[in-house]
Amino acid sequence: MTTKENTSETPVKRKKLQRIGVFTSGGDAPGMNAAIRAVTRAAIANNLEVIGIRRGYQGMIEGDFIPLKSSDVSGILQLGGTMLKTARSSEFRTPEGREKAYRQLVNAEIDAVVAIGGDGSFTGALILSQEYDVQFVGIPGTIDNDLYGTDYTIGYDTALNTVVQAVDKIKDTARSHGRIFFVEVMGREAGLLALTSGIACGAEAIMIPESNEHHAQLEKFLSVGYKYKESSGIIMVAEGEEAGGAIKIAEDVRKEHPDLDVRVSILGHIQRGGSPTAKDRVNATKMGVAAIDALLDDQKSIMIGLDNEKIVHVPFNKAVKMNHSIDTNLLDIQKLINI
Ligand code: ATP
């Protein structure tokens, strides 16, 4: 779509909600397409026009906009990735970049925006809304499930199931050769994916940034468990683990225990892809519809969340600034079960 040239020094926003924008930003997550579809169709059902903003904030700066009709979001519900593409935009981090983005929104007569992404995307939305009074509502889309105020983020369930399927396969070969595998999963600052997948796969130890007691658990397994009870093992490692990730931890273990057959498997980007699970599709749809309800209700700078299956509104400044603490009950359960 081409946008009209804005020549005025101070662009003025329209008052009434007629046209909304929707975009995906930051890391892609399975289920983002389901959210785009729900946002588009719920908006159209409420007589709103929808503009897809491609490539996150970078596309917003460049005016990379496409009108979305109901038929444009057909057939995407079951697809991983994001039809609107995503990006990490350093230009948007500058005041000049955000001014360009704002002018593009005004030129395209976009009255409000639905942002689908993680904490960085909502931080950017919060800053732009404070500088230019843009109405933003967020939908949490990240495989890390690390946002405060919601039990659930879109993509987490699919990523979890992808990790479990991969580790089950690694376990077969580990058992056959009597090897110890350090399996690294995504999560720069968040260990929930490693913790939950480790429990689902019966990992011998789980190493995450939120806890360091698992070093002792690993040592116990290596010095006692492996030698006397087990002949193989799976150690889950979150990529943000403070000891330095799976490769570094495995190197240290090889030095300490040269007799052990230690291997590393980094699952990498397969964790982001694939068809979303039913749970991700349903929750993305619920959240997409709730985002349009919130915009029509004149809500701004809030993230849609799920608390015990119920839709909640979480102010952006809480969602991005407060920590989503790890479920310590899960840590205790893992310790108890893996003796
Ligand atoms: P994920 O959890 O998958 O990494 P995310 O939304 O946290 O997703 P980020 O790359 O952190 O991903 O943020 C997405 C984009 O939001 C950035 O590329 C940048 O354009 C914008 N953004 C993030 N932080 C800021 C900030 N402090 N100021 C302005 N814009 C920001």
Side-chain angles (χ1 to χ4, degrees), residues 190-204:
L192 189 63
L193 192 56
L195 177 58
T196 319
S197 59
I199 289 173
C201 297
E204 273 59 39

Side-chain angles (χ1 to χ4, degrees), residues 126 147-149 301 303 314-323:
L126 187 59
L147 284 159
Y148 174 85
S301 297
M303 175 190 82
V314 187
F316 275 158
N317 55 7
K318 280 196 174 168
V320 300
K321 292 219 174 83
M322 295 174 75
N323 285 334

Side-chain angles (χ1 to χ4, degrees), residues 105-334:
L105 293 177
V106 174
N107 288 344
E109 300 187 333
I110 293 172
D111 304 310
V113 185
V114 177
I116 305 169
D119 60 344
S121 302
F122 300 155
T123 304
L126 187 59
I127 294 172
L128 190 69
S129 66
Q130 286 164 348
E131 289 172 341
Y132 295 103
D133 189 27
V134 180
Q135 186 186 3
F136 271 105
V137 165
I139 296 178
T142 162
I143 64 168
D144 292 341
N145 203 6
D146 59 347
L147 284 159
Y148 174 85
T150 183
D151 296 338
Y152 170 85
T153 61
I154 295 167
Y156 169 70
D157 189 60
T158 307
L160 177 59
N161 281 286
T162 301
V163 173
V164 169
Q165 282 172 20
V167 174
D168 282 351
K169 290 177 180 137
I170 292 170
K171 234 177 153 169
D172 289 345
T173 176
R175 215 183 290 114
S176 303
H177 283 274
R179 286 173 176 159
I180 296 175
F181 269 86
F182 286 81
V183 181
E184 185 174 296
V185 304
M186 284 183 167
R188 277 173 297 174
E189 279 148 38
L192 189 63
L193 192 56
L195 177 58
T196 319
S197 59
I199 289 173
C201 297
E204 273 59 39
I206 302 172
M207 311 187 73
I208 57 174
E210 295 89 340
S211 158
N212 55 18
E213 71 177 88
H214 290 80
H215 289 276
Q217 199 181 344
L218 171 64
E219 204 36 58
K220 191 170 159 207
F221 166 68
L222 293 173
S223 54
V224 184
Y226 178 78
K227 285 186 180 150
Y228 300 109
K229 289 200 322 209
E230 312 261 359
S231 62
S232 66
I234 297 287
I235 318 295
M236 299 299 294
V237 184
E239 65 179 334
E241 211 282 332
E242 56 173 23
I247 292 176
K248 171 78 173 58
I249 297 171
E251 260 170 31
D252 294 346
V253 167
R254 276 194 200 103
K255 279 186 205 144
E256 284 279 310
H257 304 268
D259 52 320
L260 298 182
D261 191 355
V262 173
R263 301 293 160 118
V264 176
S265 183
I266 296 175
L267 297 188
H269 286 83
I270 62 162
Q271 295 162 90
R272 288 205 183 275
S275 179
T277 58
K279 183 171 175 171
D280 269 329
R281 297 180 201 190
V282 172
N283 283 337
T285 304
K286 277 163 85 168
M287 287 177 161
V289 171
I292 295 302
D293 284 346
L295 285 181
L296 290 167
D297 233 10
D298 213 20
Q299 301 277 332
K300 53 174 75 164
S301 297
I302 54 136
M303 175 190 82
I304 302 297
L306 280 173
D307 181 5
N308 280 322
E309 306 290 322
K310 294 267 175 299
I311 291 287
V312 289
H313 293 173
V314 187
F316 275 158
N317 55 7
K318 280 196 174 168
V320 300
K321 292 219 174 83
M322 295 174 75
N323 285 334
H324 181 139
S325 51
I326 200 97
D327 184 348
T328 50
N329 188 32
L330 282 180
L331 282 169
D332 293 343
I333 288 171
Q334 200 270 337

Side-chain angles (χ1 to χ4, degrees), residues 21-23 51-56 59-60 64-65 84 105 110 113:
V22 57
F23 72 106
I51 303 296
I53 301 167
R54 287 157 42 89
R55 297 183 291 115
M60 193 183 286
D64 189 359
F65 300 159
L84 290 176
L105 293 177
I110 293 172
V113 185

